[in-house]
Amino acid sequence: MTKILIKKLNKNATIPKYETQGASGLDLKACLEKKIIIKPGEKSLIPTGIALSIPQNYEVQVRPRSGLAFKNSLTVLNTPGTIDSDYRGEIKVLLINLGKISFEVTHGLRIAQMVPCPIIKIDLEEVENLDDTNRGEGGFGSTGK
């Protein structure tokens, strides 16, 4: 198991945890002094009150919670959000309300999940031509329904 160091930036912050044995993501909770209302079509940056020290060659992805998305049309706008290994600031989640009614974010609400992922570094080499494939340049639905 890989260790990631965590710091509470707010005494009321909640340390993320896996909610089930098979969960791949740890739930992130809102850390708020007062509730935030997100109106339909609007977005808001929600603080979690925590910061991480992620090992080199890892990232933490911030992903939506399926229940929040299905039941309330609330999702992470830049999904998946990436927390780089050299970032030490507060983890904040950019939520957007895609629904038709306002949504109230309260302290302690599970707003997203974070999933640690290994990173593979690459070297890019510029060439004049790329190798051919059956697919070629086909994209955006080119392989059919």
Side-chain angles (χ1 to χ4, degrees):
M1 189 172 287
T2 301
K3 183 178 286 191
I4 293 181
L5 303 177
I6 186 165
K7 178 181 179 181
K8 279 188 174 184
L9 303 174
N10 182 309
K11 67 178 177 13
N12 296 320
T14 304
I15 302 291
K17 65 176 187 164
Y18 294 104
E19 293 294 329
T20 67
Q21 182 84 17
S24 60
L26 299 95
D27 284 343
L28 290 168
K29 293 185 178 182
C31 184
L32 304 173
E33 300 298 322
K34 60 180 183 172
K35 65 184 176 185
I36 295 174
I37 305 294
I38 307 175
K39 295 179 182 174
E42 292 188 355
K43 61 187 180 292
S44 186
L45 200 55
I46 311 298
T48 64
I50 60 169
L52 302 174
S53 177
I54 303 166
Q56 191 171 8
N57 296 320
Y58 280 86
E59 70 167 336
V60 169
Q61 293 183 0
V62 178
R63 301 178 184 177
R65 291 194 61 246
S66 58
L68 206 55
F70 179 70
K71 295 175 185 173
N72 303 104
S73 300
L74 209 68
T75 192
V76 177
L77 183 57
N78 61 323
T79 188
T82 295
I83 305 168
D84 295 309
S85 64
D86 58 353
Y87 177 69
R88 294 295 180 271
E90 182 177 11
I91 306 304
K92 295 181 181 179
V93 179
L94 182 57
L95 291 180
I96 186 166
N97 183 349
L98 299 175
K100 295 182 169 126
I101 60 172
S102 293
F103 185 85
E104 183 177 294
V105 180
T106 56
H107 177 76
L109 180 71
R110 293 185 298 159
I111 55 172
Q113 56 184 321
M114 63 180 212
V115 178
C117 301
I119 297 296
I120 300 171
K121 298 285 184 164
I122 61 171
D123 286 321
L124 294 175
E125 179 183 343
E126 185 176 6
V127 295
E128 292 295 321
N129 296 298
L130 299 175
D131 57 320
D132 290 326
T133 67
N134 287 338
R135 183 176 180 174
E137 295 180 14
F140 297 97
S142 66
T143 58
K145 291 184 181 184

